[in-house]
Amino acid sequence: MRKTLAGFVLSCLSSVTLAQSEFVEIAPITRELAKDIALQSEVIDNQLRQNIHRYQQSLSLQQLTSATNNQSLSKKVSAANLSLSERKGIATYEDNLLQIRLADKSMLADWEAGDDWLVAYVPDGNEQNWSTIEAFDKDGNVHYLDPNEMPNMPVFVIDINSKKDLQAGLKVLNQEIAKAGLKFNKKDLPQYSSAANNQRMRETAKLTEIRLNNDHEPWVLGSSEIYAIVSGINPSKKEAVLNVVDMPYLDEDKKTYYPNQIMLMWGQYRFGAANIMLYEHDDNYNYKELSKQLIGAVSKIVSAAGQPEIGLLIGIGQAIVEAMPDRWFSNEDDYVDSFYTLERARSYSGYYGASGNAQITLVPYTLPK
């Protein structure tokens, strides 16, 4: 390509409009509910104690409030759940997002022993700019907590169930990617013999180890939710191929995981090469709008490139980074790391991403018939 890769990517993305208006404000809803729950703490304490323990530290807010006699609060939670699901574009898959959870498992013993507890909510905005976390006591008084220091008393948090949100959101993303024609289809395989096609489809890359140095999360956000955007070039068409992959086991930094997860099916990618971009999920966005930005940016790169070459893979990866939420969502998805131009039939042992924040072991694996 005549331009430098960085200049080429930036020129292609210059007309992509970032949709600030699609930011979904959650804090005004959860703040009000946090105060309501705090004022009802003596009523709901028994219900919490029946459900919160060492093996389960969260509870659906709908389940909690439905067990009380406060019909007004229960209806408010139902309305908030539906509103958030619709605004986030996932109501088809999930309409019961709100939860109450213990902020950290280290607080469990003190809470079980009967210590007073507070109810907090997750602020909107970039977490790097948070100066305080608001929390309410049983009398409705506000306490201001340090976002970077674990509180010395039990705190429950009213927020969105990130696992439910991400699972529903990934369905929407992959659905929209398929509608745009960027999802791999077996018809896209080059027309080799049937035996050759079958063999290509069985060659995979398995993620056997992964470790994150930093997952970026303040205590009020709880465990992280990591997902991957896998990208490459269609084996027979001048199009990108995208797939969004959940990694639900990966919830703590500085810990090595051994998932044995299939990340790449090599028959789906031209040149036997692909990228893996890792992101940390946060809550404040509409997934359909995210898919539009992602699809638009990647499609623009490929359409402007002329004949696809293997070097275009890095451009696709950079387009994903440019299009992702850190520039247009407030409590954004945190960029974790990128693995560019991973190659078929090659092992990557203790391999660091471009940012040095994630380390993986990825090995060739042939699936049986």
Side-chain angles (χ1 to χ4, degrees), residues 88-106:
K88 290 169 63 61
I90 60 172
T92 301
Y93 297 108
E94 183 60 63
D95 62 0
N96 186 15
L97 288 174
L98 289 165
Q99 67 173 359
I100 182 170
R101 61 173 170 81
L102 194 63
D104 190 81
K105 60 187 177 183
S106 63

Side-chain angles (χ1 to χ4, degrees), residues 163 207 210-212 215 223-227 246-253 255-257 259 261 278-280 336 358:
K163 287 189 183 296
L207 182 67
I210 183 167
R211 181 183 180 90
L212 303 183
D215 67 6
S223 297
S224 60
E225 302 291 336
I226 305 295
Y227 64 97
D246 195 6
M247 305 175 78
Y249 51 87
L250 190 55
D251 55 10
E252 293 182 29
D253 58 9
K255 177 180 176 180
T256 302
Y257 293 84
Q261 181 179 18
L278 299 180
Y279 279 87
E280 180 180 43
V336 176

Side-chain angles (χ1 to χ4, degrees), residues 247-321:
M247 305 175 78
Y249 51 87
L250 190 55
D251 55 10
E252 293 182 29
D253 58 9
K254 302 176 180 62
K255 177 180 176 180
T256 302
Y257 293 84
Y258 306 91
N260 285 323
Q261 181 179 18
I262 300 296
M263 294 296 290
L264 297 162
M265 299 285 289
W266 286 118
Q268 300 182 8
Y269 305 103
R270 189 183 298 203
F271 309 117
N275 307 313
I276 296 176
M277 329 292 290
L278 299 180
Y279 279 87
E280 180 180 43
H281 162 265
D282 285 321
D283 299 325
N284 299 86
Y285 58 87
N286 181 300
Y287 286 95
K288 287 191 176 181
E289 291 302 318
L290 173 58
S291 68
K292 289 178 186 177
Q293 301 299 322
L294 188 59
I295 291 164
V298 170
S299 297
K300 194 171 183 67
I301 289 290
V302 177
S303 64
Q307 182 63 29
E309 300 176 1
I310 191 168
L312 181 60
L313 272 174
I314 295 179
I316 291 172
Q318 289 189 345
I320 291 170
V321 173

Side-chain angles (χ1 to χ4, degrees), residues 325-344:
D326 64 304
R327 297 198 304 177
W328 60 289
F329 294 129
S330 185
N331 183 16
E332 72 271 7
D333 276 30
D334 292 320
Y335 167 70
V336 176
D337 216 333
S338 302
F339 296 88
Y340 294 108
T341 320
L342 299 167
E343 299 176 53
R344 179 170 61 90

Side-chain angles (χ1 to χ4, degrees), residues 14 23 32 67 117 130 210 244 246 265 285 287 293 354 361:
S14 61
F23 169 69
E32 184 177 352
W117 45 279
W130 294 345
I210 183 167
V244 189
D246 195 6
M265 299 285 289
Y285 58 87
Y287 286 95
Q293 301 299 322
T361 294

Side-chain angles (χ1 to χ4, degrees), residues 63 109 120 124 161 203 218 237 249 261 284 322 342:
Q63 181 180 344
D124 288 329
N161 184 317
E203 290 183 75
K237 298 190 292 186
Y249 51 87
Q261 181 179 18
N284 299 86
E322 288 290 326
L342 299 167

